[in-house]
Amino acid sequence: MPQIPLLQAFAEVGFQVAGRGGAHAAMDALTKIVPHRAFELVAYDPASGRHRSLVGRGFPGVDTEEYVNLEGYRRARASGLPIEMPGRFRGAWAAAMTAPLVLKEGRYTGLLHLAASAPFGEEAAGLVAALAPTLAHLTDLSRPKVDPIGVPDGYRATAFDRAGTRREVPGCEPVAAGRELGVLAREFIDSRELSRSGLWQDAEGGWHQVRMVRAAVGVNGTIQGAVLTERPCGLPYELTGREVEVLTRVAAGDSNPQIAAALVLSVRTVTTHLEHIFAKLGCDSRTRLTTKALAEGLCRL
């Protein structure tokens, strides 16, 4: 294949893998580079240590756990290069190869089986190996099913699973470091809320606007997760940090004595803070104050 059409075909594979057309569209694009008649994408689940088929077309079922224990496949994993499949695994196809799929950072996500009615060309294995880091995203079970267009301008974004593990959101700068954000995301995932927003203070005392929404993490949405977005901010309405804490307690339904006990303040001091908060937010009742605080994400997370 001439160099320019080959580069265009490589770009098309990457475009489809990025989420524009899905696995079938990506494999159709791959056909222009390495002609094949059947394929199977198999994902590796790090949680269970096992493989499972994700999507395929025309390929016979393969006992993957038996296959990956073959000496030939272990050599392929070590080298990162595709291998020819033994006859008992490729069914009636004249030729078949398997490529280990490893992301650029070195994380193994699964494998790709390709089959054809005629032998593959001499360059086929090298071309598949060159595309393997791109195709590895198709079998990455940690890949969040997130539309980065939904991330507000100026916000950083990271997806989390229930264990607090951080996952990259394609095309977005990751959120600021901090174990607390993983804890917040896990608490949100375990709640019944569809979304949550509020203020978070980092270890250096800086404040951040944080928004969380539910998202399925994994190629087939197999892991319950959330996308957390954040950006540095000043406190809104000229609130002080202490006033944010008092407002947060009010929104939680606490009385003035309860707030005083929780924040180790006198009831009189709490009352004074509330007078300032009512004036700054333009509210005349605790109910309106709570409604405004929750709607605008003014509570501390």
Side-chain angles (χ1 to χ4, degrees), residues 67 70-84 98-102:
Y67 184 72
L70 297 179
E71 178 60 29
Y73 185 73
R74 286 200 290 266
R75 289 198 301 270
R77 279 281 287 115
S79 67
L81 298 175
I83 60 167
E84 182 179 351
T98 297
L101 300 179
V102 181

Side-chain angles (χ1 to χ4, degrees), residues 6 8 31 45 60 113 116 137 166 170 175 239 241:
L6 179 62
Q8 291 174 337
T31 301
D45 182 1
H113 300 313
H137 290 282
R166 298 164 65 99
V175 301
L239 292 168

Side-chain angles (χ1 to χ4, degrees), residues 251-269:
D254 288 355
S255 65
N256 286 11
Q258 288 174 322
I259 296 172
L263 300 181
V264 194
L265 299 172
S266 69
V267 174
R268 182 180 180 84
T269 300

Side-chain angles (χ1 to χ4, degrees), residues 209-229:
Q209 288 181 326
V210 174
R211 300 179 182 180
M212 290 178 281
V213 296
R214 292 191 175 278
V217 178
V219 175
N220 291 329
T222 55
I223 305 174
Q224 192 178 34
V227 173
L228 184 150
T229 64

